[in-house]
Structures are given as C-alpha cells and as structure tokens.
Amino acid sequence: DSGVTQTPKHLITATGQRVTLRCSPRSGDLSVYWYQQSLDQGLQFLIQYYNGEERAKGNILERFSAQQFPDLHSELNLSSLELGDSALYFCASSVAQGVDSPLHFGNGTRLTVT
Amino acid sequence: KNEVEQSPQNLTAQEGEFITINCSYSVGISALHWLQQHPGGGIVSLFMLSSGKKKHGRLIATINIQEKHSSLHITASHPRDSAVYICAVRGHNYGQNFVFGPGTRLSVLP
C-alpha cells in the first residue's frame, strides 16, 4: 500500500460531461503529480503541485484543470469530455518537490467516456 | 526520436532466468526511476537512481550517466515478476517534468 488514495476507482460518463478526480497524498508528502495513461500514448505527465502551488505543467489540455487544497489533497477536473480522454489517471506524491524524491503512486482512476 | 527508449519491448522468460531490461535517454538527467506496473494497473516505484547501482531483493538497477543508459536486472525470475517495467527520467531543471519510456512487458512462465 503506497498510502496514496485515489477516488473513484472507475468512472463512466458521456461526452461533453465534466468529472472530478480526487487524490489524497501519502501522509507527509507535499508534492502531488497527475499523470494520464492511455493505450496509445503511455504515461504522460500532466501537472505537479507542491504545498498548494502549481510547480510544473506537462501535456495538460486547457479543458483540464487541477488544484491542491490546504489539506494537501488534490483534484483533477476534466471538462467537455471527449472519447479520447478515456484513460487511466494516476496521482503520485512525494515528500519534496525536487528531482531526488521517490514517487508513491495511487491505484489510478479508470475513466471511460462513451 | 523519443527522449526515452526501452528494450526489449516485450520479453518472455522461463521461471528462474536472469532478465535484463534496458533504458536509454537523450537528455541530461538528475534522476531516473524504474517503475513496475502490474496487470491490474497499479504502479509501484522500484528504484530511483542518480548514479551507480542499487539492489533490492532480486532486483538490481544500474545507471551510467555518461552513456545515458540504465539497466534493470531481475535474478531468479518468478511468474509474479510479470508486469510492465517503465523507465522514467527527470531533467536537471527544477520543475522539469518526468519523461516516460514506452515500457517493457515481461511475462515469466512457470
């Protein structure tokens, strides 16, 4: 058990809808990362937060947004959903924001857009 | 050319065999991670390397910074080692995001 909790585990929704994915980092970890894993693209970094502030941005679409709250949990909001947004969305946490911190992954949220 | 490449793409081994998975990258990095993704989808971080070699149980990871290459070795492989192994690198610049390799799918047959 990594200590990182992601909810929900599965989500099925229709095109055009909006969903929110939630991540609670491991106790003591201040950094949260979001990743998308689709069948044809592999793992892609979306965004990183550290102690409530955005720290790095990757291949995140404008229809997607995220935030990290004062209690350090994070939410990833996906709107105007398209079929191509169907993927596994992972959250990971680490104690620091730097490059030498081990990552702890949640079990992912499987999003299916129909 | 992808920034992170892995070989082989797929690997089938018999139980007990010694396995090597390779990762090559083209950018200067500060750290390299080896990840294991189980058939159910969960991801576990196996190693984080910035130099040298690390060992954990039957797993050994090495990195050669000058050659921009890392290897993951599994000794005495077991069917429970069947998974996708992913190499991920992070660049020197603060805040630079991770770049992931395409993964190596390993099947260990009993």
Side-chain angles (χ1 to χ4, degrees), chain A residues 60-79:
Chain A
I60 188 166
L61 300 172
E62 284 191 13
R63 300 184 285 107
F64 297 0
S65 64
Q67 54 184 330
Q68 185 179 29
F69 294 87
D71 67 353
L72 300 178
H73 92 272
S74 178
E75 292 181 356
L76 179 67
N77 300 297
L78 315 176
S79 61

Side-chain angles (χ1 to χ4, degrees), chain B residues 67-79:
Chain B
E67 294 187 3
K68 295 187 171 61
H69 180 269
S70 176
S71 292
L72 176 68
H73 305 286
I74 304 175
T75 61
S77 60
H78 190 276

Side-chain angles (χ1 to χ4, degrees), chain B residues 35-94:
Chain B
L35 310 174
Q36 180 192 52
Q37 185 168 25
H38 291 283
I43 296 177
V44 174
S45 180
L46 298 174
F47 293 103
M48 184 186 66
L49 295 162
S50 54
S51 64
K53 176 180 173 177
K54 286 191 176 179
K55 184 175 188 293
H56 181 67
R58 295 179 295 105
L59 301 178
I60 303 166
T62 63
I63 188 168
N64 185 318
I65 296 292
Q66 287 73 29
E67 294 187 3
K68 295 187 171 61
H69 180 269
S70 176
S71 292
L72 176 68
H73 305 286
I74 304 175
T75 61
S77 60
H78 190 276
R80 64 174 174 266
D81 297 326
S82 298
V84 175
Y85 292 84
I86 302 168
C87 168
V89 302
R90 196 163 180 186
H92 287 298
N93 298 332
Y94 166 73

Side-chain angles (χ1 to χ4, degrees), chain A residues 5 23 25 36 45 54 62-63 69-70 82 85:
Chain A
T5 304
C23 170
Q36 180 193 57
F45 168 73
E54 183 184 304
E62 284 191 13
R63 300 184 285 107
F69 294 87
E82 302 174 0
D85 298 327

Side-chain angles (χ1 to χ4, degrees), chain A residues 9-114:
Chain A
K9 287 185 181 178
H10 301 277
L11 200 46
I12 301 174
T13 189
T15 54
Q17 295 298 304
R18 173 189 167 95
V19 297
T20 297
L21 313 184
R22 183 187 167 104
C23 170
S24 293
R26 200 177 64 132
S27 178
D29 285 358
L30 299 178
S31 250
V32 169
Y33 303 78
W34 285 99
Y35 301 96
Q36 180 193 57
Q37 186 179 41
S38 55
L39 277 174
D40 57 345
Q41 295 263 342
L43 270 166
Q44 301 275 323
F45 168 73
L46 295 179
I47 197 163
Q48 177 200 0
Y49 280 85
Y50 176 78
N51 205 19
E53 293 189 9
E54 183 184 304
R55 277 294 186 237
K57 220 167 187 177
N59 301 318
I60 188 166
L61 300 172
E62 284 191 13
R63 300 184 285 107
F64 297 0
S65 64
Q67 54 184 330
Q68 185 179 29
F69 294 87
D71 67 353
L72 300 178
H73 92 272
S74 178
E75 292 181 356
L76 179 67
N77 300 297
L78 315 176
S79 61
S80 302
L81 285 167
E82 302 174 0
L83 294 177
D85 298 327
S86 296
L88 261 174
Y89 291 84
F90 286 99
C91 163
S93 71
S94 65
V95 65
Q97 59 183 334
V99 298
D100 56 353
S101 290
L103 290 175
H104 306 274
F105 283 82
N107 288 327
T109 292
R110 185 174 296 278
L111 173 66
T112 302
V113 182
T114 61

